[in-house]
Amino acid sequence: MAVKNMTKKQIQIFFERLREQRPTPKTELNYSSPFELLVAVTLSAQATDVSVNKATDKLFPIANTPEAIYNLGVEGLKEYIKTIGLYNSKAENVIKACKMLIELHNSQVPDNRKDLEALPGVGRKTANVVLNTAFGQATMAVDTHIFRVGNRTGLAVGKNVLEVEHRLIKVIPKEFILDSHHWLILHGRYTCIARKPKCGECIVSDVCNWTDKYEFGAVREIKVKNVE
């Protein structure tokens, strides 16, 4: 049975709770500049943040500018990121991206989608993360966690990541939109997990529309007034 879309009141409560739980949410990737963030997010595709941080914690003290990483070359970069999945293709893309940043953007990370997505290895999701986290733009990067949370709870039901992204941008109140990407990722990573969601511990289970939540410990007695 399809999950019902959340009402405006449910969505408001949902994000008020997540904000109260994590007032200043941040990415779990380690970075100190837009360029470091771009590299870290590029490396994080089909890899965990923990594995990326282990690699970049060694890489960035040695090379953390387009010129420095480009000078490492593909083989040199591989030595730092070889513990990360798909490191061969990622190394090639990062080196090519560094070359483009040097030649076309004065070694600066672009603050617009068109130029970001023109960089090798940078797709819509990576561009959205950089635009949101580095430049404070109201974008929504939908990864597997956010896709799952959106569809499971009824917050944003969609058949693909683009549908979910557009739905989220449409329904999330402006006061929450800037940080909502991080709240949703962290909620999906630690509470609304894939196989055994922690519904019994979930602070938003009472406004979630997932019909199976009681099988995973959600409390039936919780009532929220005026959720419609």
Side-chain angles (χ1 to χ4, degrees):
M1 185 171 67
V3 176
K4 290 170 53 180
N5 287 321
M6 282 188 183
T7 65
K8 289 183 179 180
K9 185 62 176 179
Q10 285 174 300
I11 293 171
Q12 181 72 25
I13 294 170
F14 185 90
F15 283 102
E16 284 178 353
R17 300 255 185 90
L18 295 184
R19 179 173 63 186
E20 183 178 357
Q21 182 185 47
R22 295 185 174 95
T24 55
K26 298 178 180 178
T27 177
E28 293 186 322
L29 290 170
N30 296 336
Y31 76 98
S32 60
S33 69
F35 176 71
E36 287 188 0
L37 177 64
L38 175 65
V39 172
V41 178
T42 300
L43 296 178
S44 71
Q46 299 182 49
T48 65
D49 288 358
V50 172
S51 68
V52 173
N53 287 338
K54 286 181 179 179
T56 57
D57 284 350
K58 296 178 180 179
L59 170 65
F60 289 156
I62 303 300
N64 69 342
T65 65
E67 290 84 357
I69 289 184
Y70 183 73
N71 288 336
L72 288 176
V74 173
E75 295 305 318
L77 179 57
K78 284 181 183 180
E79 289 301 308
Y80 289 96
I81 68 170
K82 60 186 178 182
T83 55
I84 301 174
L86 306 176
Y87 73 93
N88 285 307
S89 59
K90 289 177 180 179
E92 293 179 1
N93 283 333
V94 169
I95 293 299
K96 290 176 182 177
C98 287
K99 187 174 188 292
M100 288 181 65
L101 290 174
I102 295 167
E103 294 179 349
L104 302 179
H105 302 288
N106 196 30
S107 297
Q108 300 299 306
V109 176
D111 61 357
N112 66 86
R113 180 183 305 283
K114 179 181 178 181
D115 288 336
L116 279 172
E117 291 187 9
L119 298 173
V122 178
R124 185 177 182 87
K125 185 180 76 172
T126 297
N128 279 338
V129 173
V130 173
L131 291 173
N132 177 270
T133 304
F135 299 111
Q137 298 183 24
T139 58
M140 176 60 63
V142 178
D143 67 351
T144 55
H145 297 300
I146 295 181
F147 185 78
R148 179 175 65 254
V149 172
N151 276 286
R152 178 182 279 169
T153 64
L155 175 62
V157 178
K159 296 178 181 178
N160 54 59
V161 293
L162 194 58
E163 285 187 11
V164 171
E165 176 187 331
H166 289 163
R167 177 70 179 170
L168 288 170
I169 293 296
K170 180 180 179 180
V171 303
I172 296 175
K174 289 183 179 180
E175 65 177 301
F176 304 116
I177 195 67
L178 189 61
D179 289 323
S180 58
H181 165 251
H182 297 304
W183 283 322
L184 292 172
I185 284 181
L186 295 172
H187 187 64
R189 182 173 290 165
Y190 296 112
T191 302
C192 196
I193 56 182
R195 294 186 178 181
K196 294 183 178 180
K198 302 176 183 179
C199 300
E201 305 171 17
C202 180
I203 62 172
V204 291
S205 65
D206 53 327
V207 291
C208 168
N209 286 341
W210 191 38
T211 55
D212 294 336
K213 62 186 177 181
Y214 301 113
E215 296 181 16
F216 292 90
V219 181
R220 290 179 182 272
E221 289 74 16
I222 291 179
K223 299 292 183 182
V224 176
K225 296 180 180 180
N226 302 320
V227 295
E228 296 298 335

